[in-house]
Amino acid sequence: MSEMQQSVDGNVVLSTQRLVPRVQRIGGREIEVTFLGNNTHGQPTWILWNATEPYLIGVLRQGAIGYTFEQRTSTGVMLHEEISMRRLQRAIGA
């Protein structure tokens, strides 16, 4: 299926290989991350799935300042704007 990617210091390394799912450990979870390419605004975009159960976690976009993460929750969509990768890891790694 795919390989697990993580840098030596524990930070997530997002793949930019288009449409190739990669399983990454983020916090205590294994997340399947797929690079979709650039959106209509030229922002790199990824989709995140739970690697063990088939459900969507959210959509991640990289902007000029930080990341925008549209997270699926039981009550609807939660939007995290201009966040760092570390904050993203805290948001989905629990």
Side-chain angles (χ1 to χ4, degrees), residues 19-91:
L19 301 177
V20 177
R22 304 221 184 255
V23 176
Q24 297 186 237
R25 181 166 302 282
I26 299 178
R29 298 174 66 185
E30 289 187 1
I31 307 292
E32 184 177 300
V33 180
T34 305
F35 180 62
L36 300 177
N38 291 344
N39 65 16
T40 57
H41 301 288
Q43 299 170 317
T45 304
W46 295 264
I47 192 163
L48 286 70
W49 291 88
N50 183 325
T52 57
E53 298 176 19
Y55 73 83
L56 175 69
I57 295 171
V59 176
L60 178 67
R61 295 186 319 265
Q62 184 175 14
I65 297 175
Y67 293 92
T68 297
F69 182 55
E70 297 175 44
Q71 182 178 22
R72 177 182 169 265
T73 70
S74 60
T75 59
V77 175
M78 180 179 286
L79 184 64
H80 306 271
E81 295 183 285
E82 299 178 3
I83 63 173
S84 67
M85 180 55 73
R86 190 168 303 262
R87 185 163 169 212
L88 171 72
Q89 288 177 275
R90 283 194 306 264

